[in-house]
């Protein structure tokens, strides 16, 4: 009897497990943490205990900002009074800005695995049919927008996004407004006063260099931005704390190391970084497109290299195309070792005299070891 | 005329009885003086002041729905940031104020009748013009209203307004929870228009659950109190806020049903005078008669 009982229990448990497996087949393929969607530990079919959309766990396939739609027309909401026309939402610009903070999930706060779903997947277009705990579509949209917009616009100016749908003004239902942002000017150089530090009182920040010379992307520094850093119209906007100010620098610069302060904090404005002035090695000719790290391999260390090519280049007479210098070597010379002509690592000027007697008239550039092609 | 002289006398007799019971000092009866049992499905609105952006659209929609002079709806938001603390009035059944304009994005609070579960205004009204409806709305019957303004004194939230500027037959006005709209299955006008969904319409019961869910989900965002859950015995409109609204927006109120309070006001008022019933009778009677006269003259 007892055995039979256990047997039945076993069969029951197994079938249960099997059922669960079948159910979760779809889920199992996805790399998901159960708690993203389920609130209890053992969700069942009858009680899936689905969590209300988590704000920061979008699981959809995120595409690149470049692939995001440029402008979206929002016209799914119909109010009783129909006061406004459709809104042309500049999705791409907003997506780009969001990259500097939370990314797509700032707005697409929840997404089941797969393609990005549109907002009305969860948010009901009808307010009267909405549940108390899930805002209807109109609320959802406005909360996303106003959550940021009110941080710099005290008054809620509807007309910033909406064109009035007044029959006295226009009969069209499509908004004429496509807000085009004034082009954002990238700062060249910014000078900050830092009177509270006991090191230098001035920090000269060459914004341009960081992009063009050091090859940084906007998001390398602008990672955790608030909208107000650009859209701040409130004069009493709370100044960022010290740490916060360093936060955009300390990915690359050692801001915690006391010895490093003077690198940025100086007594007066400093000139832009110039590799030649600093090191004697001119980057402009052949190396201007390199990033720092393509030569300075150890992160954070910019010393230890000298101006010799072999620091980085492992060329020999076989793999170096001499023609790149503008001089195509003739047959006799192309077989020589580099160092036969370039003594003492001087690749700017060859030495001919180790083979040729000067009195015989072999003087560069009168007589060349090949053909000038540039 | 919805009430004839005989009805009036009946009401009058009822007042006499109530007053008699009151003088017998039976606090329990005083507390439960609401005329009907509260429906479990009575509606309410959850006002989440942390969501409100102060656009003032609700003010506009309310006026429009009640055929009041509404003006241009794009002009409303600026009134909010001027720092004035407006009150609902005979020209605006609801107003939205930003409590502290020096703090950016601080709570904006929409004010209107709270639709108390045990309305002080209802029990103060000597002609039973005010009724707590089954759906939670506290409505009033303009035909019955004699303009005595007792409800104004009684209301713990100072909501009923009086048409002072009207020489002829001034009436009490206040938010009626859009009784006519909700009867047709529509949302209250303010709830319908709110762009951010700061106002949620639903059964009071479900709204309380939702309010508490929001607090527990975001304890940093909300002050841990649902205003209206217990105040003056509970109100249909409930408030969530970042800060404590008591003393800033609402007066500090006990959880006792307000009728007790309003009665004590009246008792206080009349403590040194003739018994209140006599005064009610005199005042009420005179006003009712004169009102009737007005009407009759107007009709001829
Ligand atoms: S808030 Fe005032 S007017 Fe409204 S129901 Fe309560 S007591 Fe009456
Ligand atoms: S419920 Fe109706 S009457 Fe009351 S404030 Fe809202 S719109 Fe005005
Ligand atoms: S419509 Fe909504 S957001 Fe606008 S003021 Fe009224 S409650 Fe606030």
């Amino acid at each position: 009897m007892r055995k039979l009982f256990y047997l039945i229990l076993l069969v029951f448990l197994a079938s249960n497990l099997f059922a669960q497996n079948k159910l979760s087949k779809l889920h199992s393929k996805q790399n998901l943490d159960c708690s993203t969607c389920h609130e209890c530990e053992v969700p069942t079919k009858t009680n899936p205990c689905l969590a209300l959309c988590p704000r920061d766990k979008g699981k959809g396939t995120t595409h690149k900002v470049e692939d995001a739609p440029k402008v979206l027309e929002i016209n799914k909401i119909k109010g009783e009074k129909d006061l406004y026309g459709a809104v042309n939402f500049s999705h791409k610009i907003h997506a780009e800005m969001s990259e500097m903070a939370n990314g797509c999930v700032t707005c697409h706060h929840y997404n089941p695995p797969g393609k990005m779903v549109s907002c009305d997947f969860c948010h009901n277009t009808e307010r009267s049919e909405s549940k108390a705990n899930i805002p209807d579509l109109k609320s959802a949209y406005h909360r996303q927008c106003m959550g940021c917009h009110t941080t710099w616009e005290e008054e809620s100016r509807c007309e910033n996004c909406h064109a009035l749908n007044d029959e006295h003004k226009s009969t069209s239902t499509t908004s004429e407004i496509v807000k085009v942002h004034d082009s954002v000017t990238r700062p060249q150089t910014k000078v900050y006063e830092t009177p509270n530090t006991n090191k230098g009182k001035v920090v000269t920040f060459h914004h341009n260099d960081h992009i063009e010379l050091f090859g940084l992307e906007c998001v390398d520094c602008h990672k955790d931005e608030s909208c107000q850093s650009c859209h701040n119209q409130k004069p009493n906007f709370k100044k960022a704390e010290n740490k916060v100010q360093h936060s955009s620098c300390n990915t690359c610069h050692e801001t915690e190391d006391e010895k490093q302060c003077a690198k940025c904090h100086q007594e007066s404005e400093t000139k832009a970084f110039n590799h030649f002035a600093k090191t004697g090695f001119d980057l402009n000719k052949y190396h201007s497109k390199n990033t720092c790290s393509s030569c300075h391999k150890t992160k954070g260390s910019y010393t230890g290299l000298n101006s010799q090519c072999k620091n980085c280049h492992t060329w020999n007479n076989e793999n170096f195309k001499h023609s790149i210098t503008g001089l195509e070597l003739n047959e006799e010379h192309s077989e020589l070792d580099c160092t036969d002509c370039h003594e003492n690592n001087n690749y700017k000027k060859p030495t001919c005299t180790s083979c040729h007697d000067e009195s015989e008239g072999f003087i560069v550039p009168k007589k060349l070891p090949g053909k000038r092609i540039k | 005329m919805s009430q004839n002289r005989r009805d009036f006398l009946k009401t009058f007799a009822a007042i006499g009885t109530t007053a008699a019971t009151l003088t017998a000092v039976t606090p329990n009866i005083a507390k439960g003086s609401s005329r009907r049992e509260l429906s479990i499905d009575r509606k309410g609105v959850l006002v989440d002041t942390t969501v409100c952006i102060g656009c003032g659209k609700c003010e506009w929609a309310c006026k429009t729905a009640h055929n009041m002079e509404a003006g241009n709806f794009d002009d409303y938001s600026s009134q909010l940031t001027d720092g004035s603390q407006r009150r609902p009035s005979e020209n605006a059944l609801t107003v939205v104020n930003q409590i502290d304009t020096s703090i950016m994005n601080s709570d904006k609070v929409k004010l209107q009748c709270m639709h108390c579960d045990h309305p002080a205004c209802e029990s103060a009204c000597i002609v039973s013009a005010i009724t707590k409806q089954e759906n939670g709305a506290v409505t009033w019957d303009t035909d019955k209203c004699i303009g005595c303004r007792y409800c104004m004194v009684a209301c713990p939230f100072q909501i009923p307004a009086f048409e002072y500027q009207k020489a002829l037959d001034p009436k009490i006005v206040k938010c009626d929870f859009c009784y006519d709209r909700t009867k047709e299955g529509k949302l209250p006008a303010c709830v319908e228009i709110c762009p951010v969904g700061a106002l949620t319409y639903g059964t009071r019961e479900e709204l309380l659950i939702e309010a508490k869910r929001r607090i527990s989900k975001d304890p940093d965002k909300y002050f841990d109190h649902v205003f209206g859950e217990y105040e003056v015995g509970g109100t249909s409109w409930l408030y969530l806020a970042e800060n404590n609204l008591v003393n800033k927006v609402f007066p500090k109120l006990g959880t006792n049903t307000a009728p007790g309070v309003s009665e004590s006001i009246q008792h206080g008022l009349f403590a040194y005078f003739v018994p209140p019933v006599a005064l009610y009778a005199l005042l009420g009677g005179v006003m009712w008669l004169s009102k009737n006269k007005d009407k009759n003259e107007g009709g001829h």
Side-chain angles (χ1 to χ4, degrees):
Chain A
M1 191 65 214
R2 217 188 171 103
K3 267 185 193 162
L4 189 70
F5 172 74
Y6 279 126
L7 197 71
I8 292 172
L9 190 74
L10 197 76
V11 170
F12 175 74
L13 282 177
S15 65
N16 226 10
L17 253 173
F18 183 66
Q20 292 285 330
N21 270 345
K22 229 173 156 185
L23 236 167
S24 53
K25 231 180 189 165
L26 257 179
H27 292 57
S28 64
K29 284 198 185 131
Q30 286 138 3
N31 184 19
L32 281 176
D33 181 0
C34 312
S35 65
T36 309
C37 305
H38 301 283
E39 257 168 359
C40 57
E41 261 179 47
V42 196
T44 61
K45 196 176 178 184
T46 44
N47 179 26
C49 56
L50 289 173
L52 285 174
C53 306
R55 277 222 77 81
D56 50 357
K57 288 176 182 161
K59 281 288 171 195
T61 8
T62 37
H63 40 223
K64 287 202 202 91
V65 166
E66 298 83 63
D67 303 331
K70 211 167 173 189
V71 178
L72 289 172
E73 194 192 66
I74 300 174
N75 63 355
K76 281 184 182 157
I77 310 159
K78 283 277 168 282
E80 204 175 89
K81 290 250 156 28
D82 216 4
L83 301 169
Y84 297 105
V87 169
N88 292 312
F89 173 64
S90 46
H91 181 272
K92 195 171 174 209
I93 293 170
H94 284 84
E96 278 165 3
M97 288 185 290
S98 83
E99 279 219 307
M100 300 185 200
N102 256 344
C104 308
V105 293
T106 320
C107 296
H108 297 278
H109 60 97
Y110 174 73
N111 210 71
K115 234 178 112 201
M116 269 296 176
V117 292
S118 70
C119 306
D120 61 350
F121 183 81
C122 301
H123 298 281
N124 202 322
T125 40
E126 287 298 327
R127 176 162 293 179
S128 52
E129 289 161 18
S130 280
K131 286 198 204 132
N133 53 14
I134 303 178
D136 66 304
L137 189 64
K138 179 161 101 170
S139 311
Y141 271 135
H142 281 110
R143 286 192 203 178
Q144 294 290 28
C145 308
M146 299 313 286
C148 299
H149 277 250
T150 47
T151 56
W152 67 86
E153 293 170 339
E154 183 89 40
E155 258 180 52
S156 26
R157 293 197 195 88
C158 309
E159 68 277 12
N160 276 1
C161 307
H162 295 276
L164 218 62
N165 207 9
D166 193 337
E167 58 265 28
H168 303 295
K169 288 185 181 169
S170 124
T171 45
S172 100
T173 49
T174 319
S175 156
E176 296 302 318
I177 305 181
V178 183
K179 292 275 283 184
V180 180
H181 202 286
D182 300 338
S183 68
V184 183
T185 41
R186 212 163 63 191
Q188 296 283 318
T189 297
K190 286 192 137 190
V191 182
Y192 297 98
E193 284 178 20
T194 57
N196 294 333
T197 131
N198 47 9
K199 308 285 173 189
K201 310 280 183 237
V202 178
V203 173
T204 322
F205 177 62
H206 299 282
H207 189 271
N208 216 30
D209 278 357
H210 281 78
I211 297 163
E212 278 167 17
L213 204 56
F214 313 145
L216 296 176
E217 293 289 337
C218 307
V219 287
D220 289 338
C221 303
H222 299 281
K223 277 191 298 278
D224 199 13
E225 294 288 0
S226 100
C227 311
Q228 281 149 304
S229 359
C230 297
H231 299 275
N232 172 32
Q233 293 178 350
K234 275 260 146 177
N236 60 357
F237 175 53
K238 219 171 130 237
K239 271 270 178 305
E241 299 285 322
N242 230 10
K243 269 226 176 87
V244 178
Q245 283 173 339
H246 279 156
S247 70
S248 41
C249 312
N250 62 15
T251 349
C252 305
H253 298 280
E254 300 280 340
T255 50
E256 293 299 310
D257 184 354
E258 291 264 324
K259 282 182 227 128
Q260 308 270 336
C261 302
K263 276 201 169 164
C264 304
H265 294 271
Q266 310 234 330
E267 288 311 325
S268 57
E269 267 182 55
T270 50
K271 290 224 178 75
F273 177 75
N274 182 325
H275 203 272
F276 180 64
K278 260 230 144 89
T279 66
F281 185 76
D282 192 357
L283 293 180
N284 287 340
K285 216 167 177 187
Y286 301 113
H287 298 90
S288 62
K289 293 223 170 71
N290 289 7
T291 61
C292 308
S293 62
S294 50
C295 302
H296 302 282
K297 300 276 189 220
T298 328
K299 194 176 171 248
S301 161
Y302 299 98
T303 50
L305 296 182
N306 54 30
S307 55
Q308 289 178 13
C309 309
K310 61 172 188 193
N311 276 325
C312 304
H313 302 291
T314 46
W315 283 320
N316 55 40
N317 62 332
E318 271 164 27
N319 65 11
F320 184 71
K321 264 168 75 191
H322 204 278
S323 53
I324 210 165
T325 65
L327 182 79
E328 198 174 299
L329 294 179
N330 56 27
E331 214 169 297
E332 302 91 55
H333 286 90
S334 66
E335 276 171 19
L336 298 176
D337 260 355
C338 307
T339 46
D340 287 345
C341 306
H342 297 287
E343 285 180 345
N344 303 322
N345 285 316
N346 186 348
Y347 290 96
K348 285 189 179 134
K349 214 176 154 205
T351 329
C352 308
T353 48
S354 35
C355 304
H356 303 285
D357 198 341
E358 261 182 59
S359 60
E360 288 173 34
F362 289 99
I363 299 170
V364 178
K366 266 192 203 152
K367 206 149 191 194
L368 291 170
K371 200 168 82 194
R372 196 166 283 293
I373 51 171
K374 262 189 238 173
Chain B
M1 203 69 249
S2 72
Q3 198 184 29
N4 54 34
R5 263 159 226 264
R6 193 187 293 156
D7 275 344
F8 176 64
L9 289 176
K10 262 200 221 154
T11 318
F12 206 60
I15 294 166
T17 341
T18 322
T21 350
L22 279 173
T23 27
V25 195
T26 42
N28 283 341
I29 293 177
K31 263 191 181 180
S33 62
S34 194
R35 249 144 276 189
R36 73 176 71 224
E37 267 209 10
L38 291 166
S39 155
I40 187 131
D41 289 329
R42 66 190 184 281
K43 301 290 193 202
V45 169
L46 175 63
V47 184
D48 192 334
T49 61
T50 65
V51 172
C52 172
I53 50 169
C55 65
K57 291 282 182 287
C58 48
E59 292 186 31
W60 179 84
C62 177
K63 288 185 189 184
T64 313
H66 292 81
N67 301 317
M68 296 160 85
E69 184 57 47
N72 186 355
F73 66 86
D74 259 346
D75 296 342
Y76 276 78
S77 59
S78 51
Q79 292 178 339
L80 256 142
T81 39
D82 68 3
S84 61
Q85 300 295 320
R86 296 169 300 142
R87 301 284 319 165
S89 68
E90 69 276 19
N91 302 318
L93 309 183
T94 182
V95 291
V96 185
N97 292 322
Q98 183 172 14
I99 312 163
D100 188 349
T101 38
S102 67
I103 305 170
M104 200 179 175
N105 293 319
S106 62
D107 284 343
K108 291 155 192 101
V109 183
K110 176 182 182 296
L111 298 173
Q112 73 299 305
C113 169
M114 301 288 285
H115 299 277
C116 306
D117 279 346
H118 307 280
C121 55
E122 180 189 32
S123 62
C125 181
I126 52 171
V127 290
S128 305
I130 299 179
T131 318
K132 174 84 179 171
Q133 302 287 353
E134 193 173 345
N135 76 344
V138 177
T139 59
W140 75 106
D141 185 339
T142 31
D143 289 331
K144 280 189 189 171
C145 173
I146 53 170
C148 70
R149 283 170 274 160
Y150 283 165
C151 52
M152 288 175 77
V153 184
C155 172
F157 301 101
Q158 301 171 31
I159 292 300
F162 191 64
E163 300 172 316
Y164 283 107
Q165 85 291 0
K166 267 201 194 164
L168 223 59
D169 202 15
K171 291 280 167 52
I172 284 294
V173 275
K174 71 170 191 70
C175 152
D176 61 357
F177 209 167
C178 287
Y179 192 61
D180 292 338
R181 287 174 56 93
T182 52
K183 254 195 311 203
E184 292 169 17
K186 288 190 202 158
L187 291 170
C190 53
V191 175
E192 196 277 331
I193 205 165
C194 178
V196 287
L199 314 169
T200 313
Y201 181 78
T203 65
R204 187 175 184 270
E205 216 183 347
E206 123 191 80
L207 294 179
L208 273 172
I209 296 170
E210 170 61 8
K212 286 172 189 167
R213 185 190 69 81
R214 288 189 202 176
I215 294 176
S216 67
K217 191 172 156 250
D218 245 327
D220 293 342
K221 185 173 158 193
Y222 293 105
F223 179 74
D224 188 8
H225 182 72
V226 186
F227 188 90
E229 181 178 12
Y230 297 118
E231 277 76 9
V232 294
T235 58
S236 291
W237 282 59
L238 304 161
Y239 284 76
L240 281 177
E242 191 187 341
N243 298 300
N244 192 358
L245 295 175
V246 172
N247 289 337
K248 280 196 198 124
V249 178
F250 300 118
K252 189 164 170 41
L253 298 163
T255 55
N256 275 349
T257 57
V261 182
S262 73
E263 273 139 20
S264 68
I265 294 175
Q266 284 167 18
H267 283 293
L269 280 178
F270 297 113
Y272 305 103
F273 292 93
V274 278
V277 187
L279 204 74
Y280 282 157
L282 193 68
L283 276 175
V286 168
M287 288 179 106
W288 188 78
L289 285 171
S290 67
K291 175 182 141 159
N292 234 12
K293 212 170 139 216
D294 281 343
K295 277 257 162 108
N296 288 342
E297 276 168 5
H300 286 296

